[in-house]
Every structure is written in structure tokens, then in C-alpha cells.
Amino acid sequence: MPIETSMTAYISQHPGLKYVFFGGKGGVGKTVMAGVAALWFARQGRRTILASTNPVHSLSGLLDQDVFGKATPVTGVDHLWAYEIDTRDAIERSKAEIKEKIQWFLRFAEISAKADEFVESATMNPAFEESAMFENMIDLMFKDEYDVYVFDTAPTANARRLLGMSKVYSLWVNKMVKSREEAQSLREMLSFTKKKEEDPLMEYLLSFRGRMEHARQLLTDPDKTAFFFVTLPEALPIAVIRRFIAWFRDFGIPVGGVVVNMLIDQSQVSERSPDFVRNRLAMQQHYMQEIWDTFDGMVRALVPLYETEVRGTALLERTGEAVFAAGSA
Ligand SMILES: Nc1ncnc2c1ncn2[C@@H]1O[C@H](COP(=O)(O)OP(=O)(O)OP(=O)(O)O)[C@@H](O)[C@H]1O
Ligand SMILES: [Mg+2]
């Protein structure tokens, strides 16, 4: 089966593409594909940042260069920066911010309790870390210092929760704002002075809602955003991205397509090849059929399994030749 719309074709049909994501099951090659895409955009002369919000970082390993904690120019490549976002730092900052809000609220409601207890319980759950990662990501986007942002996202369902969260946030904040407004007008009615009271909690909620709405707009704009899913020709990675794609469509997040990685080169396999290799090739061929059936018209690239791991810009460049293969439409 031929590829209908290749990666190259998809990107040339989306000249305003700015936020590019790679998702998929653990270990399928998301970090590698994000690196390949970022390098490719930079080679086109676009200021590109390759960023990781993943608490388990691997960009420094991918590039053989320390890119932790700040946007770092990638050695030997013009227009390319890489950045492993420090999640621990972000979490601490979020905690401090929340503590301040809670302290204000406790004073406001005249409750004599220590904010710390509330902060601990509010931040002791895994969703908090994801939400801090999401905030980091949109901060970087909002600063708008680059032409293209390529995100290497966390391996599991996190990626979709990360984006889905903006919608949930909005709903939640709308509710909060409404009840704050009601409380405020009640206080105003009861007070003798007509002076409008300051309400830092309300201000926070409003600015938060504004940020979330802005993020949602960017992330659901099919001209600006594309989520690519990486899979192997194997049952589990296919099942994972099939689910992801359905979820993303529900959230209105644009799906750019599917990259199939680690394909065994058929021309290297013969009758005399070891059983192990022939069996794996047969398995891959079986699942390739499933991929063509399931992701009809969405396959963007087929990437071979190389004899070594993909590390360093030279090998990323070579992998890029497969991902951005000319020829197919
Ligand atoms: N086409 C390929 N040929 C050979 N090795 C590959 C290929 N693609 C990726 N690899 C190697 O496979 C390993 C996993 O790739 P990568 O780290 O990109 O996966 P990932 O999806 O980001 O994993 P994680 O879920 O842990 O973040 C790496 O060692 C990488 O160099
Ligand atoms: Mg990775």
C-alpha cells in the first residue's frame, strides 16, 4: 500500500504549522521522531525549539549535550534549540503560588488554619505534576520566541490528559468564577460602602481561565497544531495509538498522522536468514496490513529499523531521510 499523504506533503499543506507533538506507547521512538522533526524544521531556516515536558528526560541523551533547565542552542545546527523543562522546579513554583492563594483565602474566610496542610493535600496527587508540566508547556508557547515548537511528550495517556485538561480547567474555572461572582455581589449588597472590593482569588481565576482558553485555541487550531503518533508494526503500540487518536478527535485536537517505526528491511531477509528474523518480518507484515486498514490515509512515514540506536544529529539526519522521504506524494 502506498502512502497517500507523506510527512513532507502534510507539512507543505500546513505552512503555518507551529506546535508539533509526538505521542505513542513507551519506547516506540517518540523522542527520536521529535528530534528528527525539529532538525528538519531548523534546516528549513525556521527558529525551532525541541522541548521535553517529560519528567524522564532523554533529549540530552539524544543530542549528546546537556540541555536540562534552559533552552540551549544545539551544537552544529543553526536555528535549533533544545530544552528539557525542569518539572521539579515548576512544581515548586506552582506550590508556592497555590500556597499564597490559599493563605489569602484562609484570611479572607477567617479560618485559623495553616496553609501548608492544604497545599500538601492539593499537590500530593499525580495530576498536579501533569498540570505543572502543562503550565510549563503553555508558558513556553505563550512567550512566542520561536517559529516552531516540537514537543517530546510523556509516554502514556499523559499527553492526551495534558491537553484534555485545558477543557476541564475551563469548565471548572467557569464554575468557580460564577460562585465567586455570586459571593461578591452578596457581600457588596450587604456592605454599606459601594466601593468594589479587591478579590485576588477572582483575579487569579480569571487570568487562569484566560490562559487556558488561549492554550485551547492554539492547541485545537489545525493550521497551527499537529499531533503525530508513532507506532511499531506490533499489536500493543497500534492499540495504544488507536485509542489516542479517538480521544484526540473527541477533544478536537488535530491529528497529523501516524509514523511507523522500526520496520525490518525485507530486502535483507532471505530463506537463509535466522528463523527469528523471518518470523519477526512475517509478524511485521501482518501488523502492517492492520495499520493500513486502521489508519487509512493517515500513515505519513515508514522508518526502517537501523543497526544501531539513533543518537546524535548525524543519525537523526539519516532517520530524517526516511521520515521526510521524497517521492511519495
Ligand atoms: N528506527 C530505529 N532504528 C533503531 N533504533 C531506533 C529507531 N527508532 C528509535 N530507536 C531507538 O529505540 C530507543 C527508543 O527510542 P525513543 O527513546 O525515541 O523512544 P520513546 O518513545 O521516546 O521512549 P520513551 O517512551 O521511553 O520516552 C532508543 O534507543 C532509540 O535510539
Ligand atoms: Mg522519549
Side-chain angles (χ1 to χ4, degrees):
M1 269 248 222
I3 288 180
E4 269 175 36
T5 308
S6 66
M7 192 64 137
T8 319
Y10 182 90
I11 288 177
S12 68
Q13 288 163 13
H14 295 79
L17 204 58
K18 187 161 177 175
Y19 309 110
V20 178
F21 295 83
F22 287 89
K25 192 179 175 296
V28 295
K30 298 178 294 296
T31 300
V32 164
M33 295 309 157
V36 164
L39 192 62
W40 189 87
F41 281 112
R43 294 280 190 226
Q44 316 286 305
R46 299 173 72 181
R47 284 172 56 86
T48 303
I49 187 156
L50 169 62
S52 162
T53 54
N54 195 334
V56 184
H57 288 297
S58 36
L59 294 185
S60 293
L62 181 76
L63 300 167
D64 271 321
Q65 195 185 334
D66 180 10
V67 300
F68 183 75
K70 65 172 198 293
T72 310
V74 173
T75 313
V77 186
D78 288 341
H79 314 297
L80 183 60
W81 288 258
Y83 182 13
E84 283 175 349
I85 299 173
D86 184 353
T87 3
R88 282 235 307 278
D89 184 51
I91 289 172
E92 287 313 312
R93 267 189 288 119
S94 287
K95 270 191 185 174
E97 199 179 343
I98 286 181
K99 185 170 170 177
E100 194 191 310
K101 304 295 178 282
I102 293 180
Q103 271 166 343
W104 176 85
F105 181 75
L106 293 177
R107 272 200 310 275
F108 169 81
E110 295 172 3
I111 299 172
S112 59
K114 285 248 176 342
D116 292 344
E117 298 156 29
F118 292 94
V119 176
E120 277 313 307
S121 61
T123 55
M124 275 290 280
N125 75 65
F128 185 77
E129 184 167 335
E130 281 175 23
S131 132
M133 280 157 53
F134 185 80
E135 291 264 323
N136 271 320
M137 186 183 91
I138 63 175
D139 278 347
L140 191 64
M141 287 165 63
F142 290 173
K143 278 191 207 144
D144 207 16
E145 291 167 349
Y146 301 89
D147 299 327
V148 180
Y149 296 74
V150 181
F151 287 102
D152 171 27
T153 56
T156 55
N158 298 10
R160 160 255 177 192
R161 274 211 298 276
L162 224 60
L163 298 183
M165 214 141 52
S166 75
K167 203 168 187 171
V168 179
Y169 271 151
S170 287
L171 288 173
W172 178 75
V173 171
N174 285 347
K175 269 217 165 81
M176 292 287 285
V177 166
K178 198 156 170 273
S179 74
R180 294 293 304 158
E181 272 167 0
E182 283 165 8
Q184 212 175 28
S185 64
L186 199 65
R187 282 169 69 89
E188 273 163 24
M189 271 181 346
L190 293 176
S191 71
F192 295 102
T193 60
K194 276 276 167 267
K195 193 168 99 338
K196 219 170 152 59
E197 283 184 65
E198 270 190 31
D199 185 342
L201 199 56
M202 180 77 138
E203 272 163 33
Y204 172 74
L205 288 175
L206 287 175
S207 93
F208 190 65
R209 182 172 64 176
R211 284 161 53 78
M212 287 304 135
E213 179 50 27
H214 186 190
R216 204 189 55 75
Q217 268 168 16
L218 295 179
L219 294 174
T220 54
D221 181 343
D223 294 330
K224 290 199 174 78
T225 296
F227 241 93
F228 293 96
F229 293 96
V230 185
T231 189
L232 311 182
E234 287 175 26
L236 282 180
I238 293 173
V240 165
I241 71 165
R242 181 190 284 144
R243 216 163 51 224
F244 276 2
I245 289 174
W247 278 337
F248 277 58
R249 288 206 167 127
D250 283 350
F251 276 107
I253 297 160
V255 175
V258 172
V259 174
V260 186
N261 192 17
M262 303 198 200
L263 280 160
I264 297 170
D265 179 359
Q266 197 179 339
S267 70
Q268 305 259 330
V269 181
S270 72
E271 287 294 296
R272 277 164 293 132
S273 302
D275 284 352
F276 168 77
V277 176
R278 285 190 292 124
N279 286 342
R280 285 206 77 87
L281 178 65
M283 176 202 73
Q284 289 201 341
Q285 285 170 337
H286 166 78
Y287 285 112
M288 266 324 288
Q289 196 48 56
E290 186 175 329
I291 286 172
W292 293 122
D293 293 343
T294 312
F295 309 113
D296 189 26
M298 294 179 64
V299 178
R300 302 282 171 253
L302 305 175
V303 182
L305 173 66
Y306 296 108
E307 69 285 3
T308 63
E309 58 178 357
V310 182
R311 279 184 75 150
T313 47
L315 290 183
L316 284 176
E317 202 92 58
R318 177 177 72 161
T319 310
E321 286 166 22
V323 176
F324 293 93
S328 49

